[in-house]
Amino acid sequence: MLESTGVYLETYIHTLKALQSTNPFYLPFKKYLAPNNKSEIKVNNPFYTRAPGFQFDLSVLCKNKEQSLKLDVADESTHDEVAKSVTNYSKLDETQAKALIIALTHEIALIEGPPSTGKTVVGIEIMKVLLAKENRKTISGPILIICFTNHALDKFLEHLLDENIKNIVRLGARTQSEKIKDFNLEVLSENRAHNKKMPYSIAVLNRELKSIEDAVNDMTLRRWMTWDDIREYLMIKENKYGESYDELQIDYETTQWIENYNEPKSDRPLSLLLNDYSIWQMSRSERQRLHDYWRTKVHKEFVEKLSKLQKRYEEKRKEMNNIYDSASRQILLESDVIGATTNEVARYQDLIRSIKPKIIICEEAGQILEAHILGALTPSTQHLILIGDHNQLRPRISTFSLGMDSKTGRNYQLDKSLFERLVNSDRTSKVEKTQLLTQRRMRKGEISDLIRYTLYPNLIDDENTAKYSNIRGAQHNVYFIDHRHPEDKSDSDMAIQSYVNTYEVKMVVEMVKYFVRNGYTKPEDITVLTPYLGQMMKIKEALAKSFVVVIDERDAQNIIEMEEEQKENENDKKGKDNIVKSTNAATTKSLNHQVTLRTIDNFQGEEANIVIVSLVRNVTTSGDYDSIGFLKSSNRSNVLLSRAREGMYLIGNSELMATKSEDIWDPVIKMLKTRNPPQIGFGMPIVCDQHPDYKNIITEPEQFKQFSPDGGCHKKCQVMLNCGHACTYKCHSDDPKHIEIKCFQPCRKSQPGCGHTCPKPCFETCGRCDYPISKVKLPCDHEIQNGRCWQNQDKERLYCIELVSKKLNCEHYREIQCSESVKNVKCRDKCKKLLKCGHECLNECSECQKNSILPENSKNESKHGECKHICERLLFCGHICKQYCHMHEENDCPPCENKCTVSCEHATCNKNCAEPCDVCAEKCLWKCEHQGKCELSCGAPCYRLPCNERCDKKLKCGHRCAGICGETCPSENFCVNCASEKVKDQVPDVIMGTKFSEIDWNEERMIVLSCGHVYTMETMDMLVKMEEYYEGSTGGGWTSIKVLPTSSKNIIKCPACRAPVKNIRRYGRIINKYTLDVQNIKFLKKYSDEHNEITKQVIIYEEEMRNGRIQLINDLYGSMLKEVATFENHNTVNKKSSEVTPYDYFENIERYHGFSKAINKIWVNHVKILLSCYQKLTSIIHNTKMSPYKKVEAAVSSL
């Protein structure tokens, strides 16, 4: 077993699988990559070009589209002449043309391109040739483009789009390019799926996958094991326990036994416990031991079930992927170009092999691991073109000790690319390479010499590199700012990324500000590079206070990971949070410009006009020289030194760099020292662009503000502006033509027409004359007090803002401005016209007018919309309707949206009011010694007689209860003796109007409602109309029960607050009768609405099925089987027929009528929408068999 440390498995698993699945016997180009001997082997022409007379049409390269140019691949003697023609007729230079010819005529080709020599340009031109119309006649199939990074791949594909090559497919979804997103394989697949009906098999697989996911979620969301889990296991696996343990459940009514229970103290082993069926004879530890045993067994079954589900899910997902892959395969086959990173090529290896691309072009080949390229090769590959530079960044590996920069790693050379191995003929056949030589980026001599005399001796400078102007504000275009400020003390173990140099952070920030003040404000002007992520974080933090800092997504991800690691170590932040707090802004001028910040590794292939490099490494705090880390690598240093176009400024310790890197930095430092004048020294030499005699050397960041506050010097600018005034700013270089400079001198112009002097600053437009005058009289006779000159000159066009009352079109009056027309004024008064429902219209008058606009000659009737009054009708449930008025509608009020108020002494209903409640089945609690006990359930109308005797119990306060026998006693707050003044002021005797304190409660009986109001028994009996339910009277007693009224009664409410009367046992017969009536109405309404909705659906579905009848007949005829289906003989004579035919009967039509499976499937698919309706109807039939009244009748009949 191998452990992967420091890198996620996902980053290389696909490449690993691709290599594992590769058969070395079928590996293309193996005679070059792994030759049997060291003899030189000639590289053949690509296999597809070996047909007799094959020629490439190169006309697409020519600037003159009428020019004809051919390349005979087999005739090598003509290749040099064709290369010269390409140079003459196209935009390619001599070495680029030669590289193109070599690439087209060799089945494996190497194009080495030093920085800025146009490697990508050559790659695009090769693609144009291969995809030219004439050449595509003989070159079939798509061309595979592979790159190491998403950024490089997107740039290459964007260049293809610019050349009108648009039949592109990009693999992988990590593109950041808006231009490329629409060419993503997933996007193209979705668009194709939208245009074609999804196959039936996809829908079936989706359903199966969803059912598996639901099953897994149901299993995994349950965190704790329940008794049901264990009981199920016992009943199935060890049924000798199941019944026993079910029988021995605790009898909770036997409280006495529980109170006297003594837990055993035994500690028997598991083997004995498995044969003991009484858990109450076990100690707690024994029960725990037995529980753990069962839990282990259940968990094992759980894991097995989960494993089976996972295996089944993977099988179904593979089936789904195969279906989608067929669609993706078709898209790729129809494309001209397939673009992918090396990781995506490995991920889609099976798909790519099925496409069989003949040509592979690899950009960034020097930065790609050999394993990635080998994994991309397929047996169908006939042409491999590698474009890169092995002298720039090598492939990244996570283990330093396996790389070329490590002494140990030189034995493994894991980061040596296939490109570098082929260039150096390292255990490979010698493959001819072509090197591009003309660089078009770096300033001639000053910058390009740094890599010419160290790495690329044959490098040629393009003529445009000698035309750059000197860097404004700097004495040198290239300069090494030498210093001995130590690195910050490292207090973490984050390896090479944790180095920080505070001095360089401050210096970089101030240099960026200085160059911005000198006019370098475009996004491509300034880039800051540093080799260390820790330094980058500090520079980003400091720059963000003044600039928009742009960083690469790879750097951003690395920063996130580093910050997360730092959070784990509290010491990482101590003493570092305020590193850049003392960095001073040299001016209050806005510096909101864009600055690019990158680590060196993530800036390969890019460039900037000015590059500022923070090298970080220096002496340690103890004064000793330290290492320069991976800056010792010539590859990384090459990238660092070759990114700048016009100017480059390095900050670091020159002595340390030269000492630790003899092959690259030592000659670079010597070159800078020997130049005239030298381009290395302590501090940054600056110069005023307007006054060249003003020069200074900045050794400390704070000196930029002191010596050059605005990017120039301390002298006044004094340049004459277009307005005739002299510039008052200090010398500045950011705007030499003074295009954006504002003159704050007083304006000298006179206003036309009046001759008044303009009071504004010079840079502002004079505009209207604001000279004050006393009054301006308007044509409407109103006057403007303290007016202005311009108002007096243009009074005819002024708007009078005096408020006046005007009559609107709707006959209402409103105060508006004098100049305002009533046509544009909206009347905000209430309409108040009577609606059909009888309410006044509450809309704004203007709204009704807007709705009433009719064509000419139409009847002019106002349209008022819906009534905004609240209905407030009493619903049958006792609630008030809170919906908007609907009295003009024929329908009843909509369903009640309140919570149900039904409750009893046992429970409270939590349903919505519109839902019918279940009748309480608990025993009724109404009983007394005089009239006995009610034997019905709590929810049924009581059948015993009410008792008129006084309660003989005592309240908590010690006084006798004044309530009725059999009722729940009220609280001591309603005690005759202890009641508060608030209670005593109530009027319990509504008939006589007698207060609580005036009633003789020895004679009267007290009833306290749940709302807190008190009434006498006589008052409440009269209000609830007891005589309609019982024979007798309140005074003489109730003698017998009457038959319940057939008509529905209104809910009993408190006379004072109108709250429903609940939980008064004396009125249980009346309250429960009303509750049953309400529940019956809810019951009927609910299922009536459901039935009506199904009826509407059936009408719609019936029409759909009628329209699909012809298709059904065609499907049935097309699916007839050769053999006639035989009918099954089902003996159903003795089987009890169901009242309602089960809906699944129709789905099993084959079983009962002998139809074939194919016909059965077609038939069920045709009628399934009706079957769903039928299923709902059967559910309604079953549910409506037992209404609330029937349940009560069943309870009464059981007495």
Side-chain angles (χ1 to χ4, degrees):
M1 178 179 291
L2 297 176
E3 181 183 9
S4 176
T5 60
V7 62
Y8 294 110
L9 176 65
E10 185 66 21
T11 60
Y12 63 82
I13 183 63
H14 301 292
T15 303
L16 179 61
K17 288 182 177 179
L19 291 174
Q20 290 173 337
S21 62
T22 299
N23 188 340
F25 183 78
Y26 296 108
L27 182 69
F29 315 124
K30 60 182 179 181
K31 66 179 179 179
Y32 310 117
L33 306 181
N36 294 325
N37 52 63
K38 295 184 179 180
S39 60
E40 186 172 335
I41 302 175
K42 180 183 178 181
V43 178
N44 296 326
N45 303 133
F47 186 79
Y48 63 87
T49 67
R50 298 175 193 171
F54 179 90
Q55 289 183 326
F56 277 115
D57 183 5
L58 305 184
S59 303
V60 70
L61 301 177
C62 301
K63 296 176 182 178
N64 182 2
K65 298 304 177 184
E66 302 299 325
Q67 180 71 43
S68 177
L69 187 61
K70 303 288 185 179
L71 171 64
D72 188 338
V73 176
D75 188 359
E76 295 184 17
S77 62
T78 63
H79 291 179
D80 290 341
E81 190 64 31
V82 173
K84 292 180 182 178
S85 298
V86 170
T87 305
N88 294 330
Y89 298 146
S90 73
K91 64 180 180 181
L92 300 180
D93 62 34
E94 183 180 346
T95 56
Q96 289 176 327
K98 182 179 178 182
L100 181 138
I101 300 301
I102 293 293
L104 293 175
T105 57
H106 290 67
E107 62 179 345
I108 180 167
L110 307 179
I111 300 176
E112 180 190 355
S116 71
T117 52
K119 295 185 289 296
T120 301
V121 172
V122 175
I124 297 300
E125 297 302 298
I126 292 172
M127 289 294 297
K128 286 169 63 177
V129 172
L130 295 173
L131 295 175
K133 185 176 180 181
E134 289 297 320
N135 298 329
R136 289 299 279 174
K137 294 178 181 179
T138 53
I139 305 174
S140 61
I143 299 172
L144 179 61
I145 305 295
I146 60 175
C147 298
F148 178 66
T149 63
N150 286 287
H151 179 73
L153 177 63
D154 289 340
K155 286 181 66 175
F156 194 91
L157 296 181
E158 284 177 357
H159 287 312
L160 291 180
L161 292 178
D162 294 338
E163 296 291 342
N164 205 31
I165 299 173
K166 297 183 178 180
N167 191 9
I168 294 172
V169 179
R170 189 197 193 280
L171 302 182
R174 294 193 61 187
T175 177
Q176 297 297 318
S177 171
E178 293 296 327
K179 294 172 66 175
I180 302 298
K181 283 183 178 179
D182 292 338
F183 296 93
N184 186 273
L185 177 60
E186 293 182 5
V187 175
L188 296 174
S189 299
E190 288 176 3
N191 293 339
R192 177 167 292 202
H194 291 160
N195 296 329
K196 297 182 180 180
K197 188 176 180 182
M198 181 175 284
Y200 176 74
S201 54
I202 291 290
V204 171
L205 286 170
N206 272 325
R207 285 198 298 269
E208 292 182 0
L209 289 172
K210 183 65 169 61
S211 66
I212 297 173
E213 289 172 0
D214 292 341
V216 172
N217 289 336
D218 183 56
M219 295 175 67
T220 55
L221 288 177
R222 290 163 49 188
R223 294 183 59 191
W224 308 110
M225 187 171 296
T226 64
W227 165 246
D228 291 337
D229 296 326
I230 295 180
R231 180 169 56 186
E232 181 182 358
Y233 165 77
L234 295 177
M235 294 292 290
I236 297 174
K237 297 294 183 180
E238 303 186 36
N239 53 16
K240 59 183 179 179
Y241 299 119
E243 296 181 2
S244 303
Y245 281 100
D246 276 343
E247 292 172 0
L248 293 174
Q249 295 297 308
I250 298 176
D251 185 355
Y252 291 102
E253 294 183 359
T254 315
T255 56
Q256 189 64 37
W257 182 85
I258 293 176
E259 290 176 0
N260 296 330
Y261 172 71
N262 292 320
E263 181 184 335
K265 304 299 182 182
S266 56
D267 189 15
R268 292 170 291 173
L270 180 63
S271 56
L272 294 178
L273 298 177
L274 292 174
N275 296 315
D276 189 348
Y277 302 156
S278 175
I279 94 171
W280 301 111
Q281 295 180 6
M282 299 181 188
S283 65
R284 176 180 289 273
S285 61
E286 290 176 339
R287 277 180 275 165
Q288 182 68 46
R289 188 173 297 128
L290 192 59
H291 174 271
D292 291 344
Y293 169 77
W294 287 336
R295 184 177 60 184
T296 303
K297 290 288 188 181
V298 173
H299 181 71
K300 184 179 180 181
E301 290 195 356
F302 172 86
V303 172
E304 290 175 355
K305 288 180 182 178
L306 204 59
S307 178
K308 290 179 180 177
L309 285 173
Q310 181 184 0
K311 185 176 180 181
R312 186 177 159 211
Y313 186 88
E314 289 175 352
E315 291 173 353
K316 297 299 177 184
R317 174 55 68 183
K318 189 173 182 180
E319 292 179 31
M320 177 84 77
N321 290 340
N322 289 337
I323 295 173
Y324 280 123
D325 281 351
S326 63
S328 300
R329 189 178 299 111
Q330 190 61 36
I331 292 173
L332 295 178
L333 282 171
E334 295 171 0
S335 68
D336 290 332
V337 180
I338 301 173
T341 62
T342 54
N343 280 333
E344 297 302 331
V345 170
R347 184 192 300 272
Y348 291 96
Q349 182 65 271
D350 292 338
L351 188 59
I352 291 174
R353 285 183 179 178
S354 67
I355 303 302
K356 298 181 179 179
K358 295 185 180 70
I359 305 171
I360 298 178
I361 297 179
C362 179
E363 264 265 349
E364 298 182 316
Q367 203 176 352
I368 301 177
L369 286 168
E370 180 170 352
H372 287 216
I373 293 182
L374 294 179
L377 299 178
T378 67
S380 61
T381 305
Q382 300 177 13
H383 196 177
L384 175 64
I385 302 173
L386 302 177
I387 305 173
D389 182 9
H390 62 286
N391 286 318
Q392 294 189 59
L393 294 179
R394 282 199 175 96
R396 295 186 185 181
I397 58 175
S398 59
T399 306
F400 178 73
S401 59
L402 297 178
M404 296 279 289
D405 292 331
S406 166
K407 291 182 180 179
T408 307
R410 290 170 192 158
N411 298 319
Y412 304 101
Q413 301 183 3
L414 184 62
D415 60 347
K416 176 179 278 192
S417 64
L418 176 63
F419 183 89
E420 183 176 359
R421 199 159 69 87
L422 288 170
V423 168
N424 297 330
S425 299
D426 183 5
R427 287 169 288 180
T428 66
S429 295
K430 184 175 180 59
V431 176
E432 182 180 0
K433 73 164 184 176
T434 52
Q435 187 179 45
L436 309 180
L437 297 178
T438 304
Q439 70 88 15
R440 298 166 177 82
R441 174 193 302 153
M442 295 167 279
R443 181 185 290 272
K444 183 176 181 178
E446 290 188 81
I447 300 179
S448 60
D449 282 355
L450 299 181
I451 62 172
R452 178 183 292 108
Y453 296 117
T454 53
L455 294 168
Y456 307 103
N458 299 320
L459 192 65
I460 302 171
D461 295 323
D462 189 71
E463 58 184 15
N464 75 296
T465 61
K467 298 177 181 179
Y468 296 141
S469 58
N470 290 327
I471 300 297
R472 294 187 297 275
Q475 297 182 33
H476 305 277
N477 297 314
V478 176
Y479 203 79
F480 193 114
I481 303 168
D482 208 354
H483 73 94
R484 298 296 181 268
H485 291 270
E487 305 166 10
D488 291 12
K489 184 179 179 181
S490 177
D491 50 6
S492 68
D493 295 326
M494 281 178 280
I496 58 177
Q497 294 186 333
S498 62
Y499 296 104
V500 173
N501 192 303
T502 304
Y503 170 80
E504 293 187 13
V505 171
K506 297 178 181 180
M507 200 68 179
V508 164
V509 173
E510 293 305 320
M511 287 179 67
V512 170
K513 291 179 181 180
Y514 179 75
F515 283 125
V516 168
R517 294 188 193 100
N518 275 276
Y520 294 99
T521 56
K522 296 178 181 178
E524 67 272 16
D525 278 344
I526 303 174
T527 291
V528 177
L529 297 182
T530 182
Y532 297 105
L533 196 63
Q535 182 79 345
M536 179 184 177
M537 291 172 63
K538 296 304 179 183
I539 295 175
K540 174 178 175 289
E541 180 183 348
L543 283 175
K545 297 176 181 179
S546 305
F547 301 98
V548 177
V549 183
V550 180
I551 64 174
D552 185 75
E553 62 174 351
R554 293 164 290 179
D555 283 330
Q557 181 61 36
N558 291 335
I559 287 175
I560 292 172
E561 294 174 0
M562 186 172 180
E563 287 175 342
E564 289 176 352
E565 193 170 350
Q566 283 179 327
K567 287 178 182 178
E568 298 175 1
N569 188 346
E570 295 180 355
N571 295 328
D572 284 343
K573 294 190 69 178
K574 290 182 180 179
K576 291 188 179 182
D577 288 343
N578 299 322
I579 282 179
V580 292
K581 285 190 175 178
S582 61
T583 303
N584 296 313
T587 180
T588 57
K589 187 185 295 184
S590 173
L591 293 174
N592 190 22
H593 299 288
Q594 180 174 308
V595 177
T596 301
L597 173 63
R598 300 281 177 86
T599 55
I600 296 169
D601 287 5
N602 290 328
F603 202 62
Q604 178 166 312
E606 301 187 54
E607 59 187 16
N609 288 331
I610 298 175
V611 174
I612 303 173
V613 183
S614 172
L615 297 172
V616 183
R617 304 308 298 271
N618 216 299
V619 294
T620 62
T621 52
S622 60
D624 298 329
Y625 283 112
D626 205 343
S627 168
I628 61 171
F630 50 45
L631 283 175
K632 189 176 182 180
S633 165
S634 61
N635 301 71
R636 188 169 281 105
S637 299
N638 180 20
V639 174
L640 182 153
L641 295 170
S642 60
R643 299 304 99 194
R645 279 192 291 263
E646 301 177 19
M648 179 172 62
Y649 301 91
L650 303 100
I651 311 174
N653 186 324
S654 62
E655 183 180 349
L656 175 64
M657 299 299 294
T659 304
K660 299 295 183 179
S661 175
E662 297 179 359
D663 58 339
I664 182 79
W665 282 105
D666 184 51
V668 166
I669 298 299
K670 286 179 179 177
M671 269 188 279
L672 295 176
K673 286 182 177 180
T674 56
R675 286 178 178 175
N676 186 19
Q679 293 181 334
I680 187 170
F682 289 92
M684 169 66 180
I686 65 172
V687 61
C688 177
D689 200 49
Q690 303 298 324
H691 307 95
D693 57 330
Y694 184 84
K695 297 180 180 180
N696 278 292
I697 296 179
I698 305 296
T699 57
E700 296 296 332
E702 295 80 6
Q703 292 177 338
F704 278 100
K705 178 182 179 182
Q706 177 184 350
F707 296 131
S708 182
D710 287 315
C713 59
H714 292 284
K715 296 180 180 179
K716 290 289 184 181
C717 181
Q718 295 298 323
V719 172
M720 194 63 65
L721 305 178
N722 293 332
C723 61
H725 295 118
C727 177
T728 58
Y729 285 101
K730 288 183 180 180
C731 179
H732 56 90
S733 302
D734 57 340
D735 190 6
K737 295 183 179 180
H738 292 77
I739 296 173
E740 297 182 3
I741 296 298
K742 295 179 180 180
C743 178
F744 289 92
Q745 296 290 336
C747 183
R748 300 172 179 175
K749 299 175 184 177
S750 297
Q751 293 284 2
C754 63
H756 296 133
T757 302
C758 176
K760 297 181 180 179
C762 184
F763 77 92
E764 292 187 16
T765 304
C766 292
R768 304 175 302 189
C769 181
D770 286 326
Y771 189 82
I773 57 177
S774 57
K775 293 180 181 179
V776 178
K777 190 170 184 179
L778 302 178
C780 60
D781 291 333
H782 292 121
E783 293 181 346
I784 299 177
Q785 302 294 327
N786 300 321
R788 300 291 177 178
C789 178
W790 69 267
Q791 293 174 324
N792 194 46
Q793 296 179 45
D794 201 16
K795 63 177 69 177
E796 297 294 333
R797 298 171 61 183
L798 292 179
Y799 288 99
C800 180
I801 60 174
E802 192 78 22
L803 293 177
V804 295
S805 180
K806 291 187 180 183
K807 186 178 181 180
L808 305 180
N809 295 333
C810 58
E811 306 299 325
H812 292 121
Y813 283 86
R814 187 177 176 190
E815 276 197 345
I816 60 176
Q817 292 180 357
C818 176
S819 58
E820 190 173 1
S821 172
V822 296
K823 292 182 180 179
N824 300 324
V825 177
K826 291 183 178 181
C827 182
R828 302 298 184 186
D829 292 340
K830 297 295 182 184
C831 178
K832 295 188 177 180
K833 296 289 180 67
L834 285 180
L835 304 176
K836 292 181 180 180
C837 60
H839 294 123
E840 287 184 348
C841 178
L842 298 180
N843 290 333
E844 289 184 352
C845 184
S846 59
E847 187 177 342
C848 293
Q849 286 181 320
K850 181 180 177 181
N851 295 334
S852 303
I853 296 176
L854 298 173
E856 294 183 4
N857 302 325
S858 299
K859 189 177 179 181
N860 188 13
E861 293 183 358
S862 297
K863 294 184 178 180
H864 300 279
E866 296 182 356
C867 179
K868 297 293 181 65
H869 285 271
I870 301 300
C871 177
E872 294 187 338
R873 280 191 286 186
L874 182 67
L875 302 176
F876 64 84
C877 60
H879 291 119
I880 300 298
C881 180
K882 297 296 183 181
Q883 301 291 331
Y884 283 128
C885 172
H886 40 259
M887 291 183 179
H888 61 284
E889 300 177 0
E890 296 180 359
N891 299 331
D892 294 332
C893 292
C896 181
E897 296 180 351
N898 294 303
K899 284 291 183 182
C900 183
T901 58
V902 174
S903 64
C904 65
E905 296 181 77
H906 301 100
T908 299
C909 179
N910 291 321
K911 296 181 179 179
N912 290 329
C913 189
E915 286 287 322
C917 304
D918 294 324
V919 177
C920 182
E922 298 289 339
K923 291 289 185 180
C924 182
L925 301 178
W926 192 22
K927 60 182 178 180
C928 73
E929 60 184 10
H930 307 101
Q931 296 294 343
K933 180 180 181 181
C934 177
E935 297 294 338
L936 291 181
S937 62
C938 177
C942 296
Y943 78 97
R944 59 154 274 186
L945 296 175
C947 180
N948 290 349
E949 298 297 326
R950 180 175 178 176
C951 179
D952 58 356
K953 297 178 182 177
K954 288 187 177 181
L955 303 177
K956 289 184 179 180
C957 60
H959 299 110
R960 186 180 176 186
C961 176
I964 307 172
C965 179
E967 295 291 334
T968 303
C969 294
S971 69
E972 62 269 21
N973 295 331
F974 298 95
C975 173
V976 175
N977 301 310
C978 305
S980 64
E981 292 299 324
K982 183 178 179 181
V983 174
K984 289 180 179 180
D985 287 339
Q986 289 193 39
V987 183
D989 191 345
V990 177
I991 302 171
M992 302 301 296
T994 311
K995 289 186 176 183
F996 183 96
S997 57
E998 299 171 351
I999 295 175
D1000 183 2
W1001 290 107
N1002 291 320
E1003 296 297 330
E1004 297 291 344
R1005 304 290 178 264
M1006 181 189 301
I1007 296 179
V1008 180
L1009 304 183
S1010 58
C1011 60
H1013 293 108
V1014 185
Y1015 297 98
T1016 61
M1017 179 180 70
E1018 185 178 2
T1019 298
M1020 284 302 299
D1021 284 358
M1022 178 196 69
L1023 291 173
V1024 303
K1025 299 179 180 180
M1026 286 281 281
E1027 66 275 4
E1028 295 183 9
Y1029 295 86
Y1030 298 98
E1031 296 287 351
S1033 64
T1034 303
W1038 305 103
T1039 58
S1040 62
I1041 299 173
K1042 286 185 177 181
V1043 177
L1044 291 172
T1046 55
S1047 61
S1048 298
K1049 300 293 182 181
N1050 291 330
I1051 187 172
I1052 308 170
K1053 294 186 176 181
C1054 171
C1057 66
R1058 309 305 295 163
V1061 176
K1062 296 186 291 185
N1063 300 333
I1064 303 297
R1065 297 171 182 172
R1066 180 180 183 83
Y1067 307 125
R1069 184 172 180 82
I1070 304 168
I1071 295 172
N1072 290 349
K1073 167 64 169 61
Y1074 166 77
T1075 303
L1076 283 174
D1077 288 342
V1078 171
Q1079 300 312 313
N1080 224 42
I1081 295 172
K1082 292 181 183 179
F1083 183 84
L1084 295 174
K1085 185 170 179 57
K1086 174 184 177 182
Y1087 291 108
S1088 174
D1089 291 345
E1090 290 184 6
H1091 181 270
N1092 292 337
E1093 183 62 30
I1094 295 173
T1095 302
K1096 294 177 183 177
Q1097 293 177 4
V1098 168
I1099 294 172
I1100 297 172
Y1101 294 156
E1102 184 180 9
E1103 183 64 25
E1104 292 180 3
M1105 292 178 64
R1106 187 176 287 108
N1107 295 335
R1109 188 170 293 169
I1110 296 176
Q1111 182 64 39
L1112 172 66
I1113 295 172
N1114 293 336
D1115 292 343
L1116 289 174
Y1117 274 113
S1119 302
M1120 294 295 291
L1121 301 178
K1122 294 181 180 180
E1123 297 182 5
V1124 179
T1126 58
F1127 288 91
E1128 296 185 31
N1129 183 20
H1130 299 285
N1131 183 14
T1132 58
V1133 176
N1134 297 325
K1135 292 184 178 180
K1136 185 177 179 181
S1137 299
S1138 173
E1139 179 182 349
V1140 180
T1141 305
Y1143 69 91
D1144 59 354
Y1145 170 85
F1146 300 102
E1147 293 184 347
N1148 295 301
I1149 197 165
E1150 175 195 4
R1151 176 182 173 191
Y1152 299 106
H1153 300 288
F1155 290 163
S1156 69
K1157 289 184 177 180
I1159 295 177
N1160 172 38
K1161 184 176 180 180
I1162 294 171
W1163 168 252
V1164 170
N1165 188 57
H1166 183 67
V1167 299
K1168 64 182 179 182
I1169 50 178
L1170 275 184
L1171 292 182
S1172 64
C1173 295
Y1174 191 79
Q1175 180 183 3
K1176 296 174 184 176
L1177 283 173
T1178 57
S1179 176
I1180 292 176
I1181 292 171
H1182 289 303
N1183 292 336
T1184 52
K1185 284 184 178 179
M1186 189 60 72
S1187 67
Y1189 260 114
K1190 288 185 178 180
K1191 291 180 181 179
V1192 172
E1193 290 173 1
V1196 174
S1197 64
S1198 65
L1199 292 175

